[in-house]
Every structure is written in structure tokens, then in C-alpha cells.
Amino acid sequence: MKSHNSLQELVRIKDDPQGRYAADIHDDVYFGFPVAPVLAAERALLAGKQKTIAYFSMEYGLATSFYNGFTSVRPVSDANRVIENEVFSNERIADYLFSLKVDALVDLPIYSGGLGVLAGDTIKTAADMKLPMVAIGILWSKGYFKQRFWFKFGQLPEEMKWDPWTFPGLIPLEDKVKLELKNKDIYLRLWKYYVYSRTRDHVVPLILLDSNVEENDEAGRRLTDKLYRSDDVSGRILQRLILGMGGIRALEELKYPVSIHHLNEGHAAFAFVRKAGDDPGTDPDALKSQFAYTCHTPVPAGHDRFSVGECEAYLNPQDMALVKRYGLESPESSVVNLTVLAMNTASSVNAVSWKHGEVMKLQFPAYKERIKAITNGVHFSTWVSEPILKFLDKFGKDVGDYRHDPRLLTHVLSLKDNHAFRKALWEAHRENKKGLAGMLGRWRLKEDVLTVAWARRIAAYKRPSLILQDIDRLMDIAKRVGPLQILFAGKAHPNDNIAFTYVNEIMNTIDKTQDQDGLLKILMLENYDIYIAKMLVSGVDIWLNNPLPPYEASGTSGMKAIANAVVQLSTVDGWIVEAKDSGIGKFFGYEDTGRGYTDGLALRLSEDSSDLYASLEDMARLYYGTNDKDGIHVQSAWIDMMIHCLAEAGRFNTFRMLHEYKSQVWDMK
Ligand SMILES: *Cc1c(COP(=O)(O)O)cnc(C)c1O
């Protein structure tokens, strides 16, 4: 293979007459980062000497606003900045007068929530581990949506306007691919974004597919505009065909030899159909060894189902035969289920926590023997805060090079009796809280008050308003033990009417709890995104997680909190099942015994909230006993919990997770 010399030879950037990219990409610089790792990674991928993973995901949350963000000489469009968000609180005057100043570059807005963040954390870690990987996704030209508050009446979804043409690090390629469907072809422009390792010595290229090109008709151009927001079945099918089949075409066009196609969720399941359909001479079963599938949710709505007729509208008979052979819910069924398609065509199938593995086996008994469980993680370097990093570095001799290998964080347990260590940890946390209190100072958030956060996607099974079930009880705890601050954030999918009512309920409750003598402060932050997530997972004292078991497959926001020594108050579901005996917090509520999996949701709000208040009161006592008028009590059991959190961050990270994928799924050394 001829050796390539420059980026321009390796990466065909779209004809750039205005020299838009010349200032940011030249001999040895790529948007402020070194270009050499790009050349090396591209050459290695093209040479195909190593086993290469193609990772497919509908969404990616890369945290570009604060982690490994590129710089750009050329001005960035204002559309790519977040200036401010509203806050809805029981400090009402402040809400009218102020907004939360953000003023940061927007995160590459091609994600909606946990699945995307996991995908982003995964490919960042693959870059850290120098794995030969290329990632495939979609350039959502209008993102997911921007959440706007509508006084106390709930949320209004607003179109997310951003400008891919001035987003630092994102480049349009000359290459276009054609997705051949039954009655029409869809053309896709390819974009590239390089995901660098922490030390900037390796990259994973992320290829993004974009249907907004002149070759397509108007409807075709809109196919890749809004993530999970198409109003009709045809849009949903076409988006999945674009990711799965268009993704295969993109890999071919860019000449990446791929050993394993890893499907992060079933959205990309048509990738197998494209591969098998292209090669009618071989037995499709033989292709299964090139496919792996990770399932991310037991919630039925998370599994794509289409009728055979709906699929037939777009797929030619030969592809349709493959869909029917591998994707029907049962041999007599006329329902195509992408989860079934993915499970039937992948040689490796996995759930995302031990508990989810058990639940998945009950849901899909026919696949019981084949379902593995690999627990999710988070990318430590993305989610850890500066004060915690500085604190850990002071004790680097005992902890080891945890930045390189976060599994070493378990070593903090050896420092549990070290007075200086305990004190410094408390102080690092105080600094984080001070930062949050500073950002929300207009709402008089206090750094010495116990602060709880509930922040995630608003969905019924996550029970957003559980802690608001009984305000009198909260006030009672606040009066007897100490004041409370509760922060909320979360978006409800615009078509999810039940989720909408939760946003409304939270706001109404906040509205009714004005003037609590500083005892109970409740805030809801607008437009929950990765930026706000980072601020909350490090700046609060208690991370509240109360899904109804067994619907939370894993959950990852709590893992971001433990990376910052923030203790957990949680029901026992998802990853927590594996961590609850490690002293990282307090656990309450209904537990699923593994026998009674049903699709019905009985939310158990009154029983579980009562349990929640009892646990919260215990935690409040511990917290207020740790730092009182006599100063810090370094021996406090609260600080024990914080240390255990950091130690568990040694397990619940994507470094450990990818080592498991390497050995159990990809069969790599
Ligand atoms: C981590 C994260 C999530 C996932 O949170 P869960 O607790 O797993 O539901 C969702 N949204 C954003 C913005 C996140 O950063």
C-alpha cells in the first residue's frame, strides 16, 4: 500500500474554494491539535492489518464543550454557542431577573441523553486505549431539541439551530454515498470529526451521515434533521436505514476494512442486511461473526418495531427476504423487530449491567444462553472535576497513574485512615460546591446546605417527582435536621405526553413552595445537557436516582457522580445492584426479585417516596454531623462514603468496560 503524506491526501475535504478550513488545518495542526495521530490512525485503519471495530450509534455525546474541545481560528457562528439558560425556582424574583450564564461552545449536538453519552465515552476511551476503531453516526442538523421553560406550565421544545460548517473540528468530506432503496435512492454527504485520546496521541474517526444534500428531494433532505423526532413511521425507518445501510456504504467509500460491526442499540440493525444483501453468493449466517450487538433498555418503547408492509415500502425483495428471515418477532408474525434482527444476526449479544442481563433473559428466553452482561461505565477524564483531580494528584504515590488507568482508583481505599487525605477530599468537594453555588448565586444557593440533585431524561419509569410527593415531610426534615436544596434538570421527549406532565408537576410544586424561610430551596434548570450534567454531578452532595426496578438497564449519571466522590441515594436497579454493598450511599424502595417482570408500570410513588424520606433524613443527619459549628469531623462516616465512591469509580468506568468488550465480545488481546 502506498504511503500517504498529508492529511489532504488521506482525507478528502470537500472542495474548499473559500479556504474555510485552511486556517485551521495545515501541515501539523488540526484545529489546535497535532495532526500526526490522525495520519497514523488513518494509515493503520486503511492498511487493515489489525482487527478493526466499526461502532454504530444513532447518537454521540462527546462533551466537546469542556473536554478535548478544538479551537478554531475562523470565527464560530453564534448558533454554536450556548449563552444562557433559564431557571425555575422557589426564589421567584431571581427567575424573573436573571438567567444562568453559560456562554460556552455548544456540545456537538448529535445526542439526546444517556445512550449518546455512553457512545461518546466509549469512543473517547477507545482512543485512549489506541484501539483500531471507526465510529459511524448521523449529523443531526437540528440536534434533538432545545428545552424552553414556559413559566410554570412545563416545557416548550424549540428548534435547535446550529451550524455544522463552523463547528470546530467538524469537516465535510468530498465523498458522498448512495443508499439504494426500492423506489428511490438517498444520497448522503459524509462528515468527519476526530475524537482524540486524552493525551492527544491517537484518534478515532467519527463519520457522520447527512442527507441534507441537493441530490435529495425536500423530504429526503430533512431525514437527518432531528434526532428521535420524526413524526411518521417512514421517517423512523428511513433514519434507521441511513444509519445501518448508509453506514456500511460509508465504510466502503472510505475503504476501511472492518472486522466487527458493533451495534450500539438495535437502530443500526439493517447494517447486516446491507452486508448480506451485497453478497448473495455467501451464506448470510457466515457473516454473523462480523456483528456484535449491545441492548440498552428493557423498556418496550426502546425497541423498534415496524410492520412487514412498512419495511417493504423501502426495501427491495432480496433485502426484504433477509429482514423476514432474521427479523420477525416469530415465524408467523408480521412484525419486524430490530432487537430481534440484531440478536439473530450478531455473534455476540450483551446487556449493559448484570441486572439488565437477568431481565433481558426473561424478556427474550429463546436467547438466554447467548446473552452476556457487560456493565456500562463513564469516561473518567471527561467527568472528573478539576478539584478532585488536584486532590488525587496530591496522593498520586499511593493511587498510581489513575488518569491512564482509572481502575487504579480502587487504591484510594488504602488511604481511608489517612487524616490528611480525608480532610483534603472534603475540601475538594467543598470547592466543587462553591463553584455550583457561584453559578447559581443569584438564587442564593448555599454551599453549606445539603444539596440533592435529580437530573436525567424525564420518563415515567425514572419517577422524576418522587422526592416531591410530600412537601410537608421534606419541610419537617429540613426543620428538624437542617435545610435542604434540591436541583432538578431534564428534558421530556416532545411527543411523550406523560413525561410532559412530570415537568409540569415539578414546576407546579416548585411554584407552590415559595418562601420556606430558607429551609427548602428547589430549582429546576432549563435544557439539561452534558454541560449542566457535569456541573451537577460534581457540585452537589447527594445524587438521587429513583427509577422503578427493573426498568433502568444501567444508568450512568450516578457513575459520573462517584467519579467526583458524590454519594448516592438510589433505588436498587441497573448498575446500583452491583455497587450497593460498597458503602457508596443509601438505598431504598421496591426491589425487583427477578420473577415478576411485566410491561405494566405501577409506579409505587407513595411507598417508595416514604422510604426515600426516611433515607434522606438519615443522610441529612450524617451530612450535618460532618461539618458543624465545631468545624470538620474528619472521621465522619460521610467521608467514608465519599472515599468508597471514588474507589468504585475504579470499576464503573469505560476503561474497565472496554477491556471487557475486548476480551468477551471482540475477541482481542
Ligand atoms: C449521563 C447523562 C444522561 C444519562 O443519565 P442516567 O442517569 O443514566 O439516566 C442523560 N443525559 C445527559 C445529558 C447525561 O450527561
Side-chain angles (χ1 to χ4, degrees):
M1 168 141 219
K2 116 176 169 27
S3 85
H4 298 272
N5 295 318
S6 70
L7 187 67
Q8 280 69 19
E9 276 175 80
L10 276 168
V11 180
R12 290 172 300 209
I13 298 176
K14 183 176 155 28
D15 204 22
D16 185 20
Q18 296 122 317
R20 281 161 166 269
Y21 298 92
D24 285 307
I25 307 173
H26 45 82
D27 305 334
D28 46 8
V29 182
Y30 184 87
F31 291 92
F33 280 48
V35 96
V38 172
L39 301 179
E42 289 282 4
R43 279 185 204 124
L45 284 168
L46 293 169
K49 292 208 180 82
Q50 291 162 287
K51 198 166 195 174
T52 297
I53 314 297
Y55 188 84
F56 286 68
S57 180
M58 203 65 146
E59 46 171 316
Y60 291 88
L62 289 163
T64 53
S65 63
F66 57 84
Y67 182 78
N68 261 357
F70 293 110
T71 56
S72 150
V73 175
R74 197 160 55 98
V76 173
S77 156
D78 279 347
N80 291 339
R81 302 194 71 79
V82 189
I83 308 302
E84 57 190 8
N85 289 320
E86 275 187 50
V87 175
F88 189 83
S89 78
N90 60 352
E91 288 274 336
R92 184 54 42 76
I93 291 293
D95 301 356
Y96 284 121
L97 295 178
F98 310 114
S99 55
L100 171 62
K101 295 277 176 273
V102 177
D103 198 21
L105 194 66
V106 71
D107 273 306
L108 190 55
I110 54 170
Y111 71 97
S112 87
L115 181 71
V117 174
L118 191 268
D121 281 4
T122 298
I123 62 176
K124 280 182 270 185
T125 310
D128 291 345
M129 289 167 64
K130 299 195 168 62
L131 296 180
M133 180 184 275
V134 45
I136 309 279
I138 290 181
L139 186 101
W140 299 104
S141 59
K142 291 180 180 168
Y144 180 43
F145 73 93
K146 187 162 166 41
Q147 180 191 50
R148 287 255 98 129
F149 284 168
W150 179 30
F151 181 52
K152 65 177 177 185
F153 305 111
Q155 72 169 27
L156 279 181
E158 197 174 86
E159 199 162 272
M160 165 80 206
K161 298 194 184 80
W162 70 288
D163 177 18
W165 298 92
T166 67
F167 196 92
L170 187 60
I171 46 170
L173 305 187
E174 202 176 87
D175 313 77
K176 278 184 195 156
V177 298
K178 185 165 78 174
L179 176 59
E180 288 142 328
L181 299 177
K182 192 172 174 185
N183 294 320
K184 66 168 172 185
D185 298 334
I186 295 175
Y187 291 84
L188 300 165
R189 166 176 295 128
L190 307 182
W191 295 73
K192 244 185 201 181
Y193 188 86
Y194 287 105
V195 175
Y196 277 73
S197 64
R198 181 180 59 84
T199 51
R200 305 185 179 184
D201 58 352
H202 189 71
V203 298
V204 167
L206 168 60
I207 298 159
L208 297 171
L209 311 164
D210 172 13
S211 74
N212 187 12
V213 294
E214 59 204 20
E215 291 88 335
N216 293 328
D217 61 18
E218 242 203 277
R221 284 184 217 176
R222 279 200 305 269
L223 284 170
T224 57
D225 65 357
K226 293 184 202 151
L227 172 59
Y228 305 136
R229 298 282 310 284
S230 56
D231 298 321
D232 50 22
V233 185
S234 76
R236 284 179 48 230
I237 294 185
L238 285 166
Q239 288 174 345
R240 282 146 186 80
L241 292 170
I242 287 174
L243 181 67
M245 296 187 164
I248 295 292
R249 287 282 175 266
L251 291 166
E252 287 163 0
E253 171 70 20
L254 300 177
K255 303 195 169 56
Y256 292 128
V258 170
S259 321
I260 293 167
H261 305 81
H262 192 115
L263 313 184
N264 186 45
E265 257 314 340
H267 303 128
F270 290 117
F272 179 88
V273 176
R274 183 66 289 116
K275 283 297 269 189
D278 280 349
D279 197 0
T282 44
D283 175 9
D285 283 342
L287 280 173
K288 291 183 187 176
S289 61
Q290 294 180 27
F291 283 81
Y293 163 59
T294 302
C295 178
H296 283 270
T297 182
V299 178
H303 299 260
D304 290 318
R305 300 166 83 235
F306 301 107
S307 73
V308 166
E310 285 159 356
C311 294
E312 270 166 350
Y314 301 101
L315 292 172
N316 65 44
Q318 181 198 335
D319 291 341
M320 208 49 224
L322 288 160
V323 169
K324 285 193 197 155
R325 174 166 169 188
Y326 293 109
L328 296 180
E329 286 195 337
S330 66
E332 315 76 44
S333 164
S334 60
V335 175
V336 174
N337 183 320
L338 295 193
T339 304
V340 171
L341 179 61
M343 288 195 295
N344 285 340
T345 55
S347 57
S348 170
V349 175
N350 76 282
V352 290
S353 72
W354 299 350
K355 174 72 192 171
H356 180 220
E358 288 167 21
V359 173
M360 204 178 156
K361 287 175 187 178
L362 290 172
Q363 268 182 307
F364 304 105
Y367 302 85
K368 213 165 79 190
E369 308 303 325
R370 296 180 46 219
I371 295 170
K372 305 171 210 176
I374 296 182
T375 305
N376 281 164
V378 296
H379 184 250
F380 183 75
S381 298
T382 297
W383 293 103
V384 69
S385 57
E386 270 311 308
I388 294 291
L389 273 181
K390 280 202 195 119
F391 150 76
L392 284 169
D393 281 345
K394 270 189 231 154
F395 298 88
K397 269 216 290 304
D398 297 280
V399 186
D401 189 1
Y402 65 90
R403 289 180 205 234
H404 174 66
D405 184 349
R407 292 178 298 186
L408 299 176
L409 286 164
T410 51
H411 292 168
V412 297
L413 290 177
S414 68
L415 292 158
K416 212 175 147 186
D417 297 325
N418 181 322
H419 187 91
F421 180 79
R422 299 176 70 94
K423 186 154 180 282
L425 175 56
W426 182 257
E427 277 160 7
H429 176 62
R430 284 287 297 258
E431 202 178 323
N432 273 329
K433 256 185 111 173
K434 199 172 170 170
L436 180 68
M439 292 197 72
L440 294 167
R442 308 283 207 184
W443 289 264
R444 292 186 291 162
L445 199 80
K446 302 233 170 64
E447 56 176 288
D448 54 355
V449 170
L450 178 62
T451 307
V452 181
W454 186 100
R456 51 186 52 71
R457 200 161 53 80
I458 307 258
Y461 81 89
K462 290 177 183 267
R463 301 189 294 189
S465 58
L466 194 68
I467 195 174
L468 299 181
Q469 294 302 303
D470 188 346
I471 294 291
D472 293 340
R473 183 110 182 243
L474 277 177
M475 280 302 289
D476 180 53
I477 297 171
K479 276 182 198 143
R480 286 186 295 109
V481 188
L484 299 170
Q485 300 178 139
I486 304 174
L487 305 180
F488 285 96
K491 293 177 176 176
H493 187 287
N495 297 348
D496 184 341
N497 295 328
I498 298 175
F500 180 89
T501 64
Y502 287 110
V503 181
N504 191 225
E505 182 188 353
I506 293 169
M507 292 185 142
N508 259 312
T509 310
I510 292 175
D511 192 49
K512 282 187 290 198
T513 48
Q514 298 295 309
D515 279 336
Q516 301 295 337
D517 305 324
L519 283 175
L520 178 61
K521 191 183 300 282
I522 314 176
L523 268 65
M524 174 134 180
L525 310 182
E526 193 181 53
N527 202 41
Y528 184 53
D529 60 8
I530 292 180
Y531 186 88
I532 291 179
K534 171 87 183 239
M535 180 173 127
L536 294 177
V537 294
S538 53
V540 302
D541 301 298
I542 293 180
W543 194 256
L544 175 63
N545 174 53
N546 45 229
L548 175 73
Y551 292 95
E552 190 67 88
S554 166
T556 53
S557 62
M559 301 178 190
K560 302 165 191 168
I562 61 172
N564 289 290
V566 165
V567 307
Q568 308 289 305
L569 174 55
S570 178
T571 50
V572 182
D573 203 11
W575 75 280
I576 292 288
V577 174
E578 295 159 51
K580 72 174 201 311
D581 298 325
S582 310
I584 61 169
K586 217 166 158 55
F587 306 96
F588 66 92
Y590 168 74
E591 283 190 44
D592 173 66
T593 53
R595 271 165 288 140
Y597 180 79
T598 56
D599 285 350
L601 279 190
L603 287 172
R604 296 169 193 269
L605 294 180
S606 76
E607 308 94 300
D608 280 7
S609 63
S610 179
D611 251 21
L612 161 57
Y613 295 128
S615 300
L616 180 64
E617 178 163 347
D618 290 347
M619 289 185 94
R621 280 186 205 290
L622 256 189
Y623 172 83
Y624 282 112
T626 304
N627 200 5
D628 58 20
K629 55 187 184 326
D630 303 325
I632 308 173
H633 299 275
V634 170
Q635 295 315 322
S636 164
W638 187 278
I639 297 178
D640 287 340
M641 288 196 291
M642 293 175 71
I643 295 171
H644 290 147
C645 284
L646 277 181
E648 286 300 293
R651 174 160 144 63
F652 296 99
N653 61 69
T654 36
F655 196 76
R656 182 270 313 152
M657 181 188 91
L658 277 198
H659 275 280
E660 292 180 13
Y661 277 101
K662 267 179 80 178
S663 63
Q664 296 177 41
V665 175
W666 303 330
D667 196 19
M668 292 164 101
K669 299 253 161 30

